[in-house]
Amino acid sequence: RQRQMCIRDRYDAIAESYDSLFKDEVSIEENNKIASMLFDVPGIILDVGCGTGLFLDILKVSPDEYFGIDPSNKMLEVFRKKHPGYYNLCIPFEMFNLKFMVFNTVVALFGSASYIEVEALTDIPEEKNLFLMFYKETYHPVTYERSGCELEYYEHSRCELEQGFPHCEVKEFGNYYIVTNV
């Protein structure tokens, strides 16, 4: 619970300037590559750690096919200004029961999955589509460098992720592991 409060408070503090931290060429190129991987994601999407709406910035889906959750209300305020009409909810990740969700696909971009206890994610039924990005164990998130905000997150090796998600492929993408079955 304390970890989630810290995440919320830190991201609340940088919410207004968050998007400006990722206008560089490398970030834009990463976004384009991720967008191409997610181009045909099926069904209703749950965006875990949706923040200011990066998923909707890089991919267009209709409001009735999207739902975002994030622990930072300030990040969601920015999201709502950018993407009016899209559903979102401010809630700590661990309080959202992913096991009984009605969504077809769960997405957690650019390290968002690293802030969630892996057990909460491995409880997702196998028939759901996953695209979860975890920080590699040696990576120091660029968000921290650019914002001056340091946060605790869960570290997982590729082997641990392969064992925890046996029905998925674990890919390397820059400083991330992507757990996916889409």
Side-chain angles (χ1 to χ4, degrees):
R1 182 149 171 83
Q2 183 136 1
R3 177 189 300 261
Q4 290 301 316
M5 287 174 55
C6 182
I7 290 170
R8 183 199 64 220
D9 293 345
R10 295 283 170 94
Y11 277 96
D12 277 356
I14 63 171
E16 289 296 324
S17 62
Y18 185 80
D19 286 350
S20 69
L21 302 175
F22 299 98
K23 298 286 187 195
D24 61 287
E25 193 174 315
V26 172
S27 296
I28 292 167
E29 185 178 323
E30 282 183 340
N31 291 351
N32 290 335
K33 287 179 182 175
I34 293 301
S36 70
M37 289 183 217
L38 292 170
F39 184 71
D40 286 330
V41 172
I44 301 170
I45 297 161
L46 173 65
D47 185 0
V48 179
C50 64
T52 63
L54 175 64
F55 182 91
L56 296 173
D57 292 344
I58 63 174
L59 277 170
K60 299 303 173 210
V61 297
S62 68
D64 60 337
E65 293 180 335
Y66 178 89
F67 193 90
I69 63 169
D70 200 276
S72 168
N73 198 44
K74 298 281 186 194
M75 294 286 273
L76 289 175
E77 286 175 12
V78 174
F79 175 105
R80 291 173 190 132
K81 288 177 192 170
K82 289 170 44 181
H83 304 288
Y86 283 84
Y87 296 102
N88 55 71
L89 181 63
C90 184
I91 188 170
F93 296 137
E94 278 81 11
M95 289 183 66
F96 199 84
N97 191 334
L98 299 172
K99 188 186 292 188
F100 301 107
M101 65 183 182
V102 297
F103 307 99
N104 305 93
T105 301
V106 179
V107 174
L109 298 182
F110 294 107
S112 293
S114 296
Y115 297 105
I116 304 167
E117 291 182 38
V118 77
E119 294 79 18
L121 296 169
T122 55
D123 271 355
I124 299 171
E126 287 186 24
E127 69 271 7
K128 303 296 183 181
N129 299 303
L130 300 179
F131 190 92
L132 310 173
M133 294 179 73
F134 293 86
Y135 296 132
K136 283 185 178 176
E137 55 273 49
T138 57
Y139 178 55
H140 184 261
V142 69
T143 304
Y144 302 173
E145 294 168 15
R146 294 179 182 175
S147 70
C149 268
E150 294 284 332
L151 292 170
E152 280 186 56
Y153 57 89
Y154 299 100
E155 292 186 23
H156 305 287
S157 68
R158 181 182 186 135
C159 183
E160 289 171 324
L161 294 172
E162 288 171 341
Q163 289 173 355
F165 300 91
H167 62 288
C168 292
E169 180 181 1
V170 178
K171 302 177 182 182
E172 290 191 34
F173 176 80
N175 296 305
Y176 306 92
Y177 293 122
I178 298 175
V179 173
T180 187
N181 58 357
V182 291

